[in-house]
Amino acid sequence: MNKRIICIVLSALMMLALTSCMGSRPAPTPEPLPTVIPTPEPTSEPITAPTLEPTLEPTPVPTPEPTSEPTPEPTIEPEPSAPAPEIYKNPRREKHHPGQTAVFIAGADPYDEVGWRAIAPNGLDVSLEAFQNVFPDCSVLGIYSETLTITNVSLDMNDWSFYCVYVNEGTKSDTEAAALYVHLPGQAFED
C-alpha cells in the first residue's frame, strides 16, 4: 500500500517537472487520483508484518570431515577383450638351392587377420612388400594367408627369416621365425 502511494506521488512530480520544462504552455492541472485504502477484514488472528520472499542463494556443499582411513580409489574393471590367437603351428626352416620354391606354413586360432613379415640377416624387420622390393626376381604369394610361398629363391636370400602375425579383434600373436637357407648345389646345409 505504501508503495502505491509513493508511486502516485512520484508520477505527479514527474508530470509537473515535464510541464514546467515546456515553457510557454501552461501546465494542465492533473485530476486528483482516488486513493483506495483497503480495509482489513476483522480476524481473530494477530496481524503480522509481511515477510519478504527469500532470495535463491547457492546451497553450501558440506565438506566431509577428515577420517584417519584413506578413501580407497575406485577400481576400473578392464573391458573383456577377445582372446589372443593361439599359435598351434610355427613355420619350419626351409633349405633350398637357387631357383627353387620355399613354402612356410603357420596356424593359429581364433583370428580375423593374418600376415607375414620378414627379418633380414642384420635383424631388420620388414614387410613382405619391402622384401619383394629388395628381391624383385622372386615371386611371393600368400602374404595374407597361412601359407607363404616364395618362388625363385636366390643366394642373397640366405639367412632371411619369416614369421606370421595373427590378429584377433586387435589382440596380436606372432609365430616363431623360420629361417630360409639358400646354398649352391653340392654345398652342405648347416644345422
Side-chain angles (χ1 to χ4, degrees):
M1 177 166 80
N2 289 338
K3 287 182 184 179
R4 193 179 299 177
I5 294 172
I6 292 173
C7 285
I8 293 170
V9 171
L10 285 176
S11 296
L13 288 173
M14 287 181 63
M15 287 176 61
L16 286 173
L18 280 174
T19 55
S20 67
C21 291
M22 295 180 136
S24 61
R25 280 194 327 204
T29 308
E31 294 182 22
L33 297 174
T35 342
V36 180
I37 300 174
T39 56
E41 295 181 20
T43 61
S44 60
E45 296 177 16
I47 298 175
T48 58
T51 58
L52 297 175
E53 291 184 25
T55 58
L56 295 177
E57 293 185 21
T59 308
V61 178
T63 55
E65 293 185 24
T67 62
S68 59
E69 298 176 16
T71 306
E73 293 293 323
T75 54
I76 300 172
E77 297 293 325
E79 292 184 26
S81 62
E86 186 175 330
I87 308 295
Y88 61 83
K89 181 172 181 66
N90 283 299
R92 294 181 10 199
R93 68 182 174 186
E94 294 281 313
K95 298 177 181 179
H96 294 283
H97 298 297
Q100 291 183 327
T101 299
V103 178
F104 298 94
I105 300 172
D109 223 6
Y111 70 90
D112 50 22
E113 294 178 50
V114 61
W116 287 87
R117 304 275 304 168
I119 302 172
N122 65 2
L124 182 65
D125 189 303
V126 297
S127 69
L128 266 290
E129 289 85 357
F131 176 82
Q132 281 183 294
N133 291 335
V134 174
F135 302 104
D137 293 336
C138 75
S139 172
V140 180
L141 302 172
I143 295 173
Y144 301 104
S145 72
E146 291 186 293
T147 303
L148 176 67
T149 305
I150 303 171
T151 58
N152 196 25
V153 297
S154 67
L155 286 172
D156 294 335
M157 293 180 195
N158 187 50
D159 284 335
W160 278 75
S161 297
F162 302 88
Y163 68 98
C164 192
V165 179
Y166 288 92
V167 179
N168 185 35
E169 296 182 31
T171 306
K172 185 179 95 146
S173 294
D174 297 343
T175 64
E176 295 174 3
L180 172 61
Y181 297 112
V182 183
H183 291 284
L184 291 173
Q187 286 183 328
F189 287 101
E190 297 179 18
D191 281 331

